[in-house]
């Protein structure tokens, strides 16, 4: 690895971006583990929370780095992740009311 590449990891925003990307990517690991345990493809609630947390952090990173394409991509994703959580909680409320 070049010395310049390694020097980049001393910059605080690079660390923020790296942590954000690890969190965002971690959602796939969570989804895989849960699916393996259940023996079928499953998207756990943690997947959506990691998507939002990683997406927000990556959006902040992209804004700070002034990368408009990255900003647009993360913004669109955050809308989808938030909507999925809204639908999940709406379904849970409906199921809870119908059981009474």
């Amino acid at each position: 690895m070049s010395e310049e590449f390694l020097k980049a990891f001393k910059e605080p925003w690079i660390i923020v971006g790296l942590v954000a990307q690890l969190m965002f990517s971690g959602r796939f690991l969570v989804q895989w583990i849960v699916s393996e345990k259940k023996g079928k493809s499953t998207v756990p609630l943690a997947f959506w929370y990691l998507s939002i947390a990683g997406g927000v952090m990556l959006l902040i990173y992209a804004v700070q780095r002034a990368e408009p394409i990255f900003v647009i991509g993360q913004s669109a994703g955050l809308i989808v992740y938030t909507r999925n959580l809204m639908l999940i909680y709406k379904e849970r409320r409906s199921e809870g009311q119908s059981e009474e």
Side-chain angles (χ1 to χ4, degrees):
M1 285 189 206
S2 74
E3 187 176 320
E4 187 175 316
F5 177 80
L6 294 174
K7 252 196 260 184
F9 288 95
K10 293 181 181 177
E11 185 182 333
W13 279 108
I14 295 293
I15 301 301
V16 169
L18 180 61
V19 169
Q21 188 60 52
L22 288 171
M23 183 180 300
F24 195 70
S25 298
R27 68 198 181 127
F28 293 112
L29 182 60
V30 167
Q31 191 271 334
W32 179 35
I33 291 168
V34 170
S35 292
E36 288 295 332
K37 283 183 179 179
K38 291 188 173 190
K40 66 178 185 173
S41 182
T42 304
V43 181
L45 197 57
F47 179 91
W48 299 113
Y49 282 114
L50 285 169
S51 297
I52 289 173
V56 166
M57 289 179 69
L58 286 169
L59 177 60
I60 291 167
Y61 176 78
V63 168
Q64 193 279 331
R65 303 292 281 187
E67 296 190 24
I69 303 302
F70 202 19
V71 168
I72 292 166
Q74 289 305 315
S75 298
L78 286 170
I79 292 167
V80 173
Y81 312 144
T82 302
R83 181 63 181 147
N84 273 291
L85 278 176
M86 290 169 66
L87 291 170
I88 289 167
Y89 284 113
K90 178 182 177 184
E91 181 180 358
R92 286 183 177 184
R93 278 193 310 275
S94 294
E95 287 173 357
Q97 291 173 356
S98 64
E99 292 176 9
E100 292 176 12

